């Protein structure tokens, strides 16, 4: 069983990653700014106070872990711009300071930079609102940064174009940089199945040093 430090454990995706990991018997340290916001209780759950934007805090909670998972978000568009790429840089800096004993990093990414069947990228679609473009490009900037890192073992997991709470089927399809679509051209996944895929990556480490994406 893995020891996982999880940032963003109270969010839509992070809370499902937390439940999926605990249900599989992993030991999770949920890293939050305000412990009162995490109501989950489990014998394998530890709650720690930390700040994903502070490399020293990242290092402190990551030491001795097997994997660090970042499921942090930023709320609105400007919030993502202020959070996603800065968090990526802070996470890498914190893990880098731990040297060879640093755990792996798995970060929740975005769908905007994925290639669509017509050869463009998701964020090239016409009519996207500004706040959504900000969110997409914040994740794209973070991915660009991760791709410049070769001394920390990182993985970036992009969801389908549509992700929302739903059913846990336990099945999904993967690709690297191409949007996963169904026979109707729709790209979607439940937050529950996304969590399944992410915890599978915790266990299997199939995508170190690259981005992959999942869809139903």
């Amino acid at each position: 069983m893995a020891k996982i430090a999880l940032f963003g454990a109270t969010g839509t995706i992070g809370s499902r990653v937390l439940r999926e990991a605990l249900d599989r018997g992993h030991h999770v340290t949920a890293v939050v700014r305000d412990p009162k916001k995490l109501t989950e209780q489990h014998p394998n759950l530890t709650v720690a106070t930390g700040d994903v934007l502070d490399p020293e805090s990242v290092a402190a909670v990551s030491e001795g872990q097997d994997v660090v998972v970042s499921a942090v978000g930023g709320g609105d568009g400007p919030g993502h711009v202020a959070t996603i790429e800065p968090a990526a840089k802070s996470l890498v800096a914190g893990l880098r300071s731990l040297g060879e004993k640093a755990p792996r990093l798995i970060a929740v990414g975005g769908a905007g930079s994925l290639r669509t069947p017509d050869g463009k990228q998701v964020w090239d679609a016409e009519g996207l609102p500004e706040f959504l473009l900000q969110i997409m490009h914040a994740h794209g900037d973070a991915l660009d940064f991760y791709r410049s890192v070769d001394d920390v073992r990182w993985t970036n997991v992009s969801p389908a174009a549509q992700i929302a709470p739903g059913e846990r089927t336990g099945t999904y399809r993967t690709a690297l940089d191409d949007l996963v679509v169904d026979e109707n051209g729709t790209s979607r996944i439940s937050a529950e199945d996304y969590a399944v895929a992410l915890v599978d990556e915790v266990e299997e480490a199939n995508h170190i040093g690259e981005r992959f994406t999942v869809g139903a």
Side-chain angles (χ1 to χ4, degrees), residues 44-67:
N44 286 356
L45 173 62
T46 301
V47 181
T49 302
D51 182 359
V52 72
L53 298 179
D54 179 355
E56 291 185 2
S57 180
V58 169
V61 298
S62 300
E63 190 167 11
Q65 305 288 338
D66 298 311
V67 182

Side-chain angles (χ1 to χ4, degrees), residues 45-99:
L45 173 62
T46 301
V47 181
T49 302
D51 182 359
V52 72
L53 298 179
D54 179 355
E56 291 185 2
S57 180
V58 169
V61 298
S62 300
E63 190 167 11
Q65 305 288 338
D66 298 311
V67 182
V68 173
V69 174
S70 174
V72 297
D76 58 8
H80 275 76
V81 172
T83 303
I84 302 302
E85 186 185 14
K89 292 181 175 179
S90 175
L91 286 159
V92 168
L95 294 177
R96 186 176 277 147
S97 72
L98 298 178

